[in-house]
Amino acid sequence: MERTYISDVRAKVGEVINVRGFVENFRNSKAMAFIVLKDITGKLQVTIEKEKHPEMCDALETLTEDSVISVTGTLIENEYVKMGGIELLPDELFVESIAAALPIVRKDIPATKKKQAVERSSIDQRIDYRWIDLRTDENQLMFKVQTAFVNALRAFLLERDFIEIHTPKLIGAASESGSEVFEVKYFDRNAYLAQSPQFYKQMAMASGFEKIFEVGPVFRAEKSYTNKHTTEFTGFDLEFSYIDSFRDVMKIEEELLTYALKVVKEKYGDEIKELFGTEVVVPTTPFPVVTLADLYKGLEEDYGYTVPDSEKGDLTTDAERLSYDWTMKHFGHEFLFVTDYSAEKRAFYHMRDEKGVPQGYDLIWRGTEITTGAQREHRFDVLKAQTDEKGLTEDVKFYLEFFKYGCPPHGGFGLGVDRLTMLLLGLHIKDAMFIFRGPNRLNP
């Protein structure tokens, strides 16, 4: 019999159906057995009268929580069933897989009169058994939300005739300055795992593609142990040509994120509120914009926060965090564009104005940086001078070739899909990834 997903059973009351999934809860008494069956779409109560089905008793004695079963029976209405007022009365029950005792506790278990409370396993213990941890309602909703988010980002760009590309992740030179790279053995020489698709996005501009995006893995060999850093993540990058200013890049990013958050709120906003206690806020446009210097001035005036002059060319982690309260206070907004960083703190490929100020920005969401965007330097002679200044000319010789034979003005940015998920749902980065990778984590 063809399987019915639990989300579709309501329309089949009175019919014989087949459902399959994990045993989320199991109560086995002398005369009755009650199973809460869970699949990726929902949950259903299965009720078994043992006297009517003695052939099922042996299977029920072996059944454990998280076992996988297939059940065929009649779906009926029952007002006493809390789970939607319907239940399945099985004629057949087949045990697909018996689960051993679980090695982790996925959620805090409150105390009862008979049992003490059980504390949830640590995140690192849960990652050791991530495939078990991912069975929770929260984790499965998280990846449904992430799917909707990324699909909305993609749909927004496809509607505007962007082309999706897939760039190499094994490269011959580091793809950005200022970050460590993973070096790998590549036959008789060394290669690197790409820190971003930056060089190849710009090659696409020189190829006349005009508007491109990519969703793919990104690698950063940084020994950071924060709640937002990881050594491998999924990046959502875009680049487009014939811009007049980096503000054109800011405009498309704010429109892109506003569109995607609206889609997520409409589809999953209520469930996110219920399971994560977080409101999905659809921002208004335009997003507020402030120079780095003015942000530091504002943080000092409002919170007494100061940094040495030597650090004022970049945004410190503490200033980034404080910027959320400051932005909400002055603009009533969760997002903030910060511009006018110092040239020494920006990548060599950022265009600079006549005063040497990089023509780019960071985008901060809920006190965390999610994007560095910019207009790129497309003029070969200027770009070469900037690589000379950084001492990178030999390392990026192949990249400079992209600009010798004509290249339009262009710009772009990259978003971390996992960090977006983390901020949207109010999580730690380890919780927000399918499987986390960090300096001390290469398994499972």
Side-chain angles (χ1 to χ4, degrees):
M1 176 179 285
E2 185 177 349
R3 176 195 183 191
T4 299
Y5 282 99
I6 291 173
S7 61
D8 299 329
V9 300
R10 173 63 65 183
K12 298 193 176 186
V13 171
E15 297 181 27
V16 175
I17 63 170
N18 172 262
V19 290
R20 299 178 178 183
F22 286 89
V23 174
E24 185 179 75
N25 205 345
F26 179 44
R27 185 155 54 93
N28 192 14
S29 65
K30 186 175 181 181
M32 302 286 291
F34 300 93
I35 298 169
V36 175
L37 186 69
K38 170 181 165 62
D39 69 16
I40 193 63
T41 70
K43 301 175 188 180
L44 178 67
Q45 179 172 301
V46 178
T47 304
I48 302 156
E49 293 186 52
K50 292 185 175 180
E51 188 176 348
K52 290 183 178 180
H53 296 286
E55 75 283 1
M56 295 184 190
C57 290
D58 287 346
L60 290 171
E61 289 303 315
T62 67
L63 207 58
T64 58
E65 289 186 11
D66 278 54
S67 293
V68 179
I69 61 173
S70 173
V71 185
T72 301
T74 304
L75 189 72
I76 68 165
E77 291 183 322
N78 183 342
E79 62 180 307
Y80 298 106
V81 175
K82 294 179 181 178
M83 203 168 296
I86 55 174
E87 63 183 341
L88 186 68
L89 305 181
D91 299 314
E92 297 177 8
L93 186 151
F94 181 75
V95 179
E96 306 279 4
S97 173
I98 291 290
L102 299 185
I104 56 170
V105 179
R106 292 172 292 206
K107 295 183 181 181
D108 289 328
I109 302 174
T112 65
K113 290 180 180 180
K114 296 182 179 180
K115 294 182 179 180
Q116 290 185 331
V118 180
E119 190 175 327
R120 185 186 194 191
S121 299
S122 71
I123 179 59
D124 287 313
Q125 290 174 317
R126 285 183 283 117
I127 293 175
D128 287 339
Y129 296 93
R130 185 60 165 162
W131 63 96
I132 300 172
D133 190 43
L134 287 171
R135 294 173 188 170
T136 65
D137 294 344
E138 290 84 355
N139 280 328
Q140 293 184 351
L141 174 61
M142 174 171 65
F143 288 99
K144 292 175 185 178
V145 169
Q146 188 179 94
T147 299
F149 205 155
V150 173
N151 187 56
L153 297 174
R154 179 182 271 115
F156 178 92
L157 297 178
L158 291 175
E159 181 68 24
R160 288 153 181 79
D161 298 321
F162 276 69
I163 297 170
E164 183 169 5
I165 64 172
H166 303 283
T167 62
K169 304 308 164 198
L170 281 170
I171 59 177
S175 51
E176 289 188 11
S177 59
S179 297
E180 295 297 320
V181 293
F182 288 111
E183 189 175 287
V184 296
K185 189 70 176 173
Y186 192 74
F187 301 109
D188 59 346
R189 55 201 166 108
N190 291 328
Y192 304 92
L193 295 179
Q195 298 159 285
S196 83
Q198 186 59 46
F199 289 177
Y200 296 104
K201 288 195 302 176
Q202 292 187 257
M203 190 188 85
M205 299 301 96
S207 303
F209 280 27
E210 296 200 12
K211 296 186 286 188
I212 63 92
F213 72 95
E214 175 174 14
V215 187
V218 177
F219 303 90
R220 299 285 169 89
E222 297 174 318
K223 287 192 175 180
S224 296
Y225 299 88
T226 73
N227 69 342
K228 63 183 182 181
H229 284 95
T230 178
T231 53
E232 179 183 356
F233 61 90
T234 300
F236 192 105
D237 283 82
L238 68 82
E239 203 82 12
F240 62 113
S241 291
Y242 300 107
I243 66 174
D244 296 316
S245 162
F246 71 95
R247 296 186 186 276
D248 295 337
V249 183
M250 292 162 63
K251 186 174 187 295
I252 198 170
E253 181 166 18
E254 65 187 11
E255 291 175 352
L256 174 72
L257 287 169
T258 299
Y259 174 84
L261 286 168
K262 185 173 184 290
V263 169
V264 169
K265 185 177 182 68
E266 288 174 353
K267 190 166 186 178
Y268 292 113
D270 292 341
E271 290 179 70
I272 291 171
K273 181 72 172 176
E274 179 185 351
L275 292 183
F276 291 97
T278 301
E279 194 76 42
V280 179
V281 178
V282 179
T284 56
T285 57
F287 292 0
V289 183
V290 66
T291 66
L292 182 60
D294 284 344
L295 177 58
Y296 275 126
K297 181 181 177 183
L299 294 179
E300 182 174 1
E301 290 173 351
D302 288 4
Y303 308 109
Y305 178 77
T306 60
V307 296
D309 288 344
S310 60
E311 293 185 38
K312 288 186 176 178
D314 201 2
L315 190 62
T316 65
T317 301
D318 287 338
E320 189 178 297
R321 178 178 49 80
L322 277 173
S323 71
Y324 182 30
D325 289 338
W326 186 84
T327 308
M328 290 297 293
K329 176 181 177 181
H330 291 277
F331 301 100
H333 213 284
E334 293 191 339
F335 289 89
L336 179 67
F337 283 122
V338 183
T339 67
D340 292 35
Y341 287 77
S342 75
E344 68 180 49
K345 299 297 184 181
R346 300 281 96 169
F348 69 87
Y349 48 78
H350 286 203
M351 182 178 280
R352 303 173 190 172
D353 68 11
E354 64 280 359
K355 296 179 181 178
V357 178
Q359 299 299 282
Y361 64 89
D362 278 356
L363 178 58
I364 315 299
W365 184 28
R366 295 181 171 176
T368 299
E369 178 260 312
I370 59 169
T371 291
T372 294
Q375 179 167 5
R376 320 303 187 185
E377 183 51 71
H378 63 283
R379 297 163 295 183
F380 174 79
D381 55 338
V382 178
L383 186 60
K384 185 177 182 305
Q386 291 180 185
T387 61
D388 289 344
E389 175 191 296
K390 300 270 189 180
L392 294 169
T393 302
E394 283 304 309
D395 292 336
V396 297
K397 196 172 181 179
F398 84 98
Y399 164 78
L400 289 173
E401 287 288 307
F402 301 159
F403 304 92
K404 287 176 69 173
Y405 308 100
C407 184
H410 61 276
F413 60 86
L415 293 160
V417 170
D418 311 283
R419 189 174 288 189
L420 288 175
T421 306
M422 174 190 83
L423 292 168
L424 178 66
L425 302 178
L427 301 172
H428 188 290
I429 193 65
K430 289 183 177 181
D431 287 297
M433 302 185 70
F434 185 73
I435 299 178
F436 171 77
R437 285 289 177 259
N440 298 329
R441 172 68 67 175
L442 266 177
N443 287 304

